[in-house]
Protein backbone atom coordinates (compact mmCIF):
# COMPACT_ATOMS: atom_id res chain seq x y z
CA UNK A 1 0.00 0.00 0.00
CA UNK A 2 1.55 3.28 -1.06
CA UNK A 3 -1.14 5.73 -0.10
CA UNK A 4 -4.56 6.11 1.43
CA UNK A 5 -7.57 7.33 -0.56
CA UNK A 6 -8.30 10.96 0.04
CA UNK A 7 -5.03 11.49 1.90
CA UNK A 8 -4.06 15.14 2.13
CA UNK A 9 -0.57 16.32 1.23
CA UNK A 10 1.06 18.93 3.46
CA UNK A 11 3.09 22.03 2.62
CA UNK A 12 5.93 20.71 4.77
CA UNK A 13 8.49 22.90 3.00
CA UNK A 14 7.18 25.91 4.92
CA UNK A 15 7.72 24.07 8.22
CA UNK A 16 11.27 23.15 7.23
CA UNK A 17 11.99 26.72 6.10
CA UNK A 18 10.88 28.34 9.35
CA UNK A 19 12.90 25.77 11.31
CA UNK A 20 16.03 26.46 9.25
CA UNK A 21 15.50 30.17 9.82
CA UNK A 22 15.43 29.41 13.54
CA UNK A 23 18.71 27.51 13.18
CA UNK A 24 20.36 30.55 11.58
CA UNK A 25 19.10 32.86 14.34
CA UNK A 26 20.29 30.45 17.03
CA UNK A 27 23.76 30.23 15.49
CA UNK A 28 24.08 34.01 15.51
CA UNK A 29 22.79 34.32 19.07
CA UNK A 30 24.93 31.44 20.33
CA UNK A 31 28.06 33.16 19.04
CA UNK A 32 27.09 36.60 20.35
CA UNK A 33 26.07 35.35 23.81
CA UNK A 34 29.14 33.21 24.43
CA UNK A 35 31.57 35.86 23.22
CA UNK A 36 29.72 38.62 25.11
CA UNK A 37 29.42 36.46 28.22
CA UNK A 38 33.12 35.66 28.39
CA UNK A 39 34.15 39.26 27.65
CA UNK A 40 31.84 40.75 30.29
CA UNK A 41 32.04 37.92 32.80
CA UNK A 42 28.26 37.48 32.75
CA UNK A 43 27.38 33.94 33.84
CA UNK A 44 23.76 34.61 32.94
CA UNK A 45 24.63 35.44 29.36
CA UNK A 46 26.89 32.38 29.07
CA UNK A 47 24.06 30.18 30.39
CA UNK A 48 21.70 31.83 27.91
CA UNK A 49 24.18 30.98 25.17
CA UNK A 50 23.99 27.31 26.08
CA UNK A 51 20.20 27.67 26.00
CA UNK A 52 20.55 28.81 22.39
CA UNK A 53 22.75 25.75 21.78
CA UNK A 54 19.95 23.52 23.07
CA UNK A 55 17.61 25.28 20.63
CA UNK A 56 19.91 24.22 17.79
CA UNK A 57 19.60 20.59 18.86
CA UNK A 58 15.83 20.75 19.06
CA UNK A 59 15.62 22.50 15.68
CA UNK A 60 17.44 19.52 14.18
CA UNK A 61 15.03 17.14 15.95
CA UNK A 62 12.08 19.04 14.48
CA UNK A 63 13.58 18.93 10.98
CA UNK A 64 14.03 15.18 11.31
CA UNK A 65 10.49 14.74 12.61
CA UNK A 66 8.99 16.78 9.77
CA UNK A 67 11.00 14.82 7.19
CA UNK A 68 10.06 11.41 8.59
CA UNK A 69 6.44 12.38 9.28
CA UNK A 70 5.90 13.49 5.68
CA UNK A 71 6.62 10.06 4.22
CA UNK A 72 3.67 8.35 2.56
CA UNK A 73 1.96 5.31 4.07
CA UNK A 74 3.59 1.98 3.35
CA UNK A 75 3.01 -1.70 4.11
CA UNK A 76 4.26 -1.29 7.68
CA UNK A 77 2.64 2.10 8.39
CA UNK A 78 -0.82 2.07 6.86
CA UNK A 79 -1.78 5.25 8.72
CA UNK A 80 1.34 7.09 7.61
CA UNK A 81 4.34 8.31 9.59
CA UNK A 82 2.83 11.40 11.20
CA UNK A 83 3.70 10.30 14.72
CA UNK A 84 7.39 10.74 14.02
CA UNK A 85 6.61 14.44 14.10
CA UNK A 86 4.62 13.96 17.30
CA UNK A 87 7.58 12.17 18.90
CA UNK A 88 9.86 15.01 17.79
CA UNK A 89 7.50 17.42 19.51
CA UNK A 90 7.74 15.33 22.69
CA UNK A 91 11.55 15.40 22.53
CA UNK A 92 11.53 19.18 22.15
CA UNK A 93 9.06 19.55 25.04
CA UNK A 94 11.18 17.32 27.26
CA UNK A 95 14.24 19.43 26.48
CA UNK A 96 12.17 22.52 27.18
CA UNK A 97 11.28 21.28 30.67
CA UNK A 98 14.92 20.44 31.42
CA UNK A 99 16.02 23.90 30.29
CA UNK A 100 13.33 25.53 32.42
CA UNK A 101 14.36 23.48 35.46
CA UNK A 102 18.00 24.41 34.90
CA UNK A 103 17.18 28.12 34.64
CA UNK A 104 15.04 28.08 37.80
CA UNK A 105 17.56 25.98 39.76
CA UNK A 106 20.54 28.12 38.75
CA UNK A 107 18.71 31.33 39.58
CA UNK A 108 17.42 29.95 42.88
CA UNK A 109 20.88 28.70 43.89
CA UNK A 110 22.43 32.07 43.10
CA UNK A 111 19.75 33.85 45.10
CA UNK A 112 20.14 31.46 48.06
CA UNK A 113 23.91 31.96 48.04
CA UNK A 114 23.40 35.74 48.01
CA UNK A 115 25.48 36.06 44.87
CA UNK A 116 25.09 39.31 42.99
CA UNK A 117 25.57 40.07 39.31
CA UNK A 118 26.52 43.34 37.62
CA UNK A 119 27.09 42.37 33.97
CA UNK A 120 26.95 45.87 32.48
CA UNK A 121 25.41 47.61 29.49
CA UNK A 122 26.83 45.34 26.76
CA UNK A 123 24.80 42.46 28.12
CA UNK A 124 21.61 44.51 27.81
CA UNK A 125 22.23 45.07 24.09
CA UNK A 126 22.86 41.37 23.37
CA UNK A 127 19.92 40.24 25.52
CA UNK A 128 17.57 42.76 23.90
CA UNK A 129 18.55 41.51 20.45
CA UNK A 130 17.89 37.94 21.60
CA UNK A 131 14.45 38.83 22.99
CA UNK A 132 13.35 40.58 19.80
CA UNK A 133 14.67 37.97 17.36
CA UNK A 134 13.47 34.91 19.30
CA UNK A 135 10.01 36.35 19.96
CA UNK A 136 9.71 37.15 16.24
CA UNK A 137 10.64 33.62 15.17
CA UNK A 138 8.43 32.17 17.93
CA UNK A 139 5.35 34.03 16.69
CA UNK A 140 6.08 33.07 13.10
CA UNK A 141 6.46 29.42 14.10
CA UNK A 142 3.29 29.51 16.23
CA UNK A 143 1.27 30.80 13.25
CA UNK A 144 2.63 28.11 10.97
CA UNK A 145 2.14 25.39 13.60
CA UNK A 146 -1.52 26.39 13.95
CA UNK A 147 -2.04 26.40 10.18
CA UNK A 148 -0.30 23.03 9.66
CA UNK A 149 -1.54 21.52 12.97
CA UNK A 150 2.05 20.46 13.68
CA UNK A 151 2.87 19.36 17.25
CA UNK A 152 6.62 19.52 16.55
CA UNK A 153 6.45 23.09 15.26
CA UNK A 154 4.24 24.12 18.18
CA UNK A 155 6.72 22.68 20.67
CA UNK A 156 9.60 24.34 18.87
CA UNK A 157 7.76 27.67 18.93
CA UNK A 158 7.54 27.36 22.71
CA UNK A 159 11.24 26.59 22.79
CA UNK A 160 11.96 29.78 20.85
CA UNK A 161 9.78 31.70 23.29
CA UNK A 162 11.54 30.13 26.27
CA UNK A 163 14.82 31.47 24.88
CA UNK A 164 13.24 34.92 24.59
CA UNK A 165 12.00 34.66 28.19
CA UNK A 166 15.38 33.56 29.51
CA UNK A 167 16.95 36.49 27.66
CA UNK A 168 14.47 38.77 29.42
CA UNK A 169 15.92 37.49 32.70
CA UNK A 170 19.40 38.37 31.48
CA UNK A 171 18.12 41.75 30.29
CA UNK A 172 16.55 42.49 33.68
CA UNK A 173 19.73 41.41 35.40
CA UNK A 174 21.74 43.81 33.27
CA UNK A 175 19.26 46.63 33.89
CA UNK A 176 19.19 45.89 37.61
CA UNK A 177 22.96 46.02 37.78
CA UNK A 178 22.92 49.53 36.35
CA UNK A 179 20.76 50.58 39.32
CA UNK A 180 22.87 48.69 41.84
CA UNK A 181 20.47 45.74 42.35
CA UNK A 182 22.41 42.53 41.91
CA UNK A 183 19.57 40.03 42.43
CA UNK A 184 17.26 41.11 39.59
CA UNK A 185 18.38 38.38 37.19
CA UNK A 186 17.99 35.62 39.82
CA UNK A 187 14.41 36.61 40.64
CA UNK A 188 13.46 36.88 36.97
CA UNK A 189 15.21 33.58 36.24
CA UNK A 190 13.10 31.69 38.78
CA UNK A 191 9.86 33.06 37.30
CA UNK A 192 10.95 32.41 33.73
CA UNK A 193 12.11 28.88 34.53
CA UNK A 194 8.73 27.97 36.01
CA UNK A 195 6.97 29.43 32.95
CA UNK A 196 9.16 27.35 30.64
CA UNK A 197 8.46 24.17 32.63
CA UNK A 198 4.72 24.85 32.41
CA UNK A 199 4.86 25.33 28.64
CA UNK A 200 6.85 22.12 28.17
CA UNK A 201 4.55 20.04 30.40
CA UNK A 202 1.51 21.25 28.46
CA UNK A 203 3.07 20.06 25.20
CA UNK A 204 4.10 16.73 26.73
CA UNK A 205 0.49 16.24 27.81
CA UNK A 206 -0.73 16.79 24.25
CA UNK A 207 1.86 14.36 22.88
CA UNK A 208 0.91 11.66 25.41
CA UNK A 209 -2.77 12.19 24.57
CA UNK A 210 -2.09 11.37 20.93
CA UNK A 211 0.29 8.47 21.59
CA UNK A 212 -2.31 6.85 23.87
CA UNK A 213 -4.89 6.98 21.06
CA UNK A 214 -6.60 10.12 22.30
CA UNK A 215 -9.28 11.52 20.02
CA UNK A 216 -10.20 15.04 19.02
CA UNK A 217 -11.69 17.60 21.40
CA UNK A 218 -15.36 17.55 22.37
CA UNK A 219 -16.01 20.78 20.47
CA UNK A 220 -14.54 19.32 17.27
CA UNK A 221 -16.52 16.13 17.80
CA UNK A 222 -19.73 18.15 18.24
CA UNK A 223 -19.05 19.95 14.94
CA UNK A 224 -18.74 16.60 13.16
CA UNK A 225 -21.94 15.27 14.72
CA UNK A 226 -23.83 18.42 13.72
CA UNK A 227 -22.55 18.13 10.14
CA UNK A 228 -23.71 14.50 9.90
CA UNK A 229 -27.13 15.33 11.33
CA UNK A 230 -27.76 17.79 8.49
CA UNK A 231 -27.69 15.00 5.89
CA UNK A 232 -31.37 14.00 5.46
CA UNK A 233 -30.68 10.50 4.11
CA UNK A 234 -28.77 9.53 7.27
CA UNK A 235 -31.32 8.21 9.76
CA UNK A 236 -28.83 7.61 12.53
CA UNK A 237 -25.19 6.81 13.20
CA UNK A 238 -23.05 5.08 15.80
CA UNK A 239 -19.47 3.98 16.55
CA UNK A 240 -18.06 7.42 15.73
CA UNK A 241 -14.36 7.18 16.55
CA UNK A 242 -11.44 9.54 16.03
CA UNK A 243 -7.69 9.38 16.43
CA UNK A 244 -4.82 11.78 15.79
CA UNK A 245 -1.75 10.84 13.77
CA UNK A 246 0.58 13.82 13.66
CA UNK A 247 -1.14 16.62 11.78
CA UNK A 248 -3.98 14.41 10.58
CA UNK A 249 -7.19 13.13 12.14
CA UNK A 250 -8.65 9.76 11.21
CA UNK A 251 -12.43 9.39 11.59
CA UNK A 252 -14.54 6.29 11.14
CA UNK A 253 -18.25 5.82 11.79
CA UNK A 254 -21.28 3.71 10.89
CA UNK A 255 -24.32 5.40 9.31
CA UNK A 256 -27.81 3.90 9.12
CA UNK A 257 -29.83 4.47 5.96
CA UNK A 258 -33.04 3.28 4.32
CA UNK A 259 -32.59 -0.46 3.61
CA UNK A 260 -34.57 -0.10 0.35
CA UNK A 261 -31.92 2.15 -1.21
CA UNK A 262 -29.58 0.76 -3.85
CA UNK A 263 -25.87 0.18 -3.34
CA UNK A 264 -25.21 3.17 -5.59
CA UNK A 265 -27.40 5.40 -3.41
CA UNK A 266 -25.68 4.10 -0.29
CA UNK A 267 -22.31 4.94 -1.78
CA UNK A 268 -23.49 8.44 -2.69
CA UNK A 269 -24.66 9.02 0.89
CA UNK A 270 -21.34 7.78 2.29
CA UNK A 271 -19.54 10.28 0.06
CA UNK A 272 -21.79 13.04 1.41
CA UNK A 273 -20.92 12.05 4.95
CA UNK A 274 -17.20 12.06 4.16
CA UNK A 275 -17.42 15.53 2.65
CA UNK A 276 -19.45 16.83 5.60
CA UNK A 277 -16.88 15.52 8.09
CA UNK A 278 -14.00 17.06 6.15
CA UNK A 279 -15.74 20.43 6.03
CA UNK A 280 -16.41 20.27 9.77
CA UNK A 281 -12.75 19.73 10.66
CA UNK A 282 -10.15 22.51 10.84
CA UNK A 283 -7.27 20.26 9.84
CA UNK A 284 -6.52 17.42 7.38
CA UNK A 285 -8.80 14.45 7.94
CA UNK A 286 -9.25 10.95 6.56
CA UNK A 287 -12.77 9.53 6.82
CA UNK A 288 -14.01 5.94 6.65
CA UNK A 289 -17.81 5.48 6.51
CA UNK A 290 -19.55 2.13 7.00
CA UNK A 291 -23.07 2.06 5.53
CA UNK A 292 -25.66 -0.13 7.28
CA UNK A 293 -29.38 -0.70 6.71
CA UNK A 294 -31.63 0.81 9.37
CA UNK A 295 -33.60 -2.28 10.45
CA UNK A 296 -34.76 -3.21 14.00
CA UNK A 297 -32.92 -6.55 13.97
CA UNK A 298 -29.58 -4.72 14.01
CA UNK A 299 -30.51 -2.20 16.71
CA UNK A 300 -29.27 -4.39 19.57
CA UNK A 301 -25.79 -4.41 18.05
CA UNK A 302 -25.71 -0.61 17.95
CA UNK A 303 -26.24 0.12 21.62
CA UNK A 304 -22.52 0.84 22.17
CA UNK A 305 -22.64 3.70 19.63
Amino acid sequence: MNDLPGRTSFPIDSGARVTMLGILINLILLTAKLIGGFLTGSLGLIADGFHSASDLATDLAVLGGIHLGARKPDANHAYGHGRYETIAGGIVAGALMLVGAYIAWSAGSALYSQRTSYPGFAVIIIAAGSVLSKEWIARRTFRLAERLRSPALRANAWHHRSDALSSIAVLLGGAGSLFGFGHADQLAGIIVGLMVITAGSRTVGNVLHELTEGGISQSELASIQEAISRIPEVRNWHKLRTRRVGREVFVDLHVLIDPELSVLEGHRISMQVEEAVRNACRHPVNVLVHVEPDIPELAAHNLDG
Side-chain angles (χ1 to χ4, degrees):
M1 180 182 294
N2 295 325
D3 207 346
L4 288 177
R7 187 174 179 83
T8 308
S9 60
F10 299 109
I12 61 161
D13 288 345
S14 56
R17 281 197 299 270
V18 75
T19 305
M20 293 181 70
L21 181 59
I23 289 176
L24 177 61
I25 292 175
N26 283 324
L27 281 172
I28 295 173
L29 291 176
L30 170 63
T31 304
K33 289 175 182 178
L34 291 182
I35 293 176
F38 283 116
L39 290 179
T40 62
S42 171
L43 296 178
L45 194 58
I46 293 174
D48 206 27
F50 285 112
H51 188 182
S52 294
S54 74
D55 278 356
L56 280 176
T58 55
D59 281 337
L60 294 174
V62 169
L63 277 178
I66 291 174
H67 174 72
L68 292 173
R71 294 192 300 180
K72 293 182 178 180
D74 55 32
N76 295 320
H77 299 84
Y79 289 95
H81 300 77
R83 285 189 174 160
Y84 280 113
E85 188 171 349
T86 303
I87 293 172
I91 293 172
V92 174
L96 191 64
M97 295 175 67
L98 291 176
V99 168
Y102 172 76
I103 293 172
W105 175 261
S106 298
S109 298
L111 186 63
Y112 180 78
S113 302
Q114 294 296 311
R115 294 198 299 269
T116 56
S117 177
Y118 302 94
F121 190 74
V123 172
I124 295 178
I125 297 176
I126 297 174
S130 176
V131 172
L132 294 175
S133 60
K134 292 313 294 281
E135 180 60 23
W136 174 78
I137 192 65
R139 293 189 180 192
R140 183 166 179 171
T141 307
F142 270 124
R143 287 195 298 268
L144 193 60
E146 183 63 26
R147 180 162 64 87
L148 300 182
R149 311 297 295 183
S150 168
L153 286 177
R154 187 178 298 109
N156 207 31
W158 275 113
H159 209 149
H160 288 314
R161 178 156 289 171
S162 76
D163 203 9
L165 292 173
S166 65
S167 294
I168 289 177
V170 177
L171 180 63
L172 292 175
S177 69
L178 295 180
F179 293 96
F181 181 46
H183 295 299
D185 57 337
Q186 291 96 331
L187 293 173
I190 294 173
I191 296 173
V192 169
L194 294 176
M195 293 173 61
V196 171
I197 293 172
T198 300
S201 62
R202 186 184 301 115
T203 301
V204 167
N206 293 335
V207 169
L208 290 177
H209 178 75
E210 177 182 328
L211 294 181
T212 54
E213 300 300 326
I216 61 178
S217 67
Q218 289 300 313
S219 61
E220 293 174 302
L221 194 61
S223 298
I224 291 177
Q225 292 172 337
E226 182 180 355
I228 298 172
S229 67
R230 289 197 295 264
I231 301 175
E233 292 89 350
V234 176
R235 294 183 174 180
N236 207 340
W237 73 88
H238 62 106
K239 295 183 180 178
L240 173 58
R241 300 184 299 177
T242 65
R243 67 190 305 212
R244 290 189 180 276
V245 180
R247 303 178 189 179
E248 291 183 276
V249 167
F250 286 80
V251 178
D252 65 81
L253 73 153
H254 296 229
V255 297
L256 307 180
I257 65 173
D258 185 349
E260 300 298 325
L261 293 178
S262 66
V263 173
L264 182 60
E265 282 297 305
H267 176 70
R268 182 186 62 80
I269 294 171
S270 72
M271 297 295 288
Q272 280 186 282
V273 173
E274 289 182 14
E275 186 65 22
V277 172
R278 290 195 182 96
N279 291 335
C281 291
R282 300 189 302 270
H283 37 69
V285 60
N286 285 272
V287 189
L288 179 61
V289 179
H290 304 264
V291 177
E292 298 178 358
D294 184 22
I295 53 179
E297 288 79 1
L298 295 178
H301 299 284
N302 301 335
L303 293 177
D304 60 341

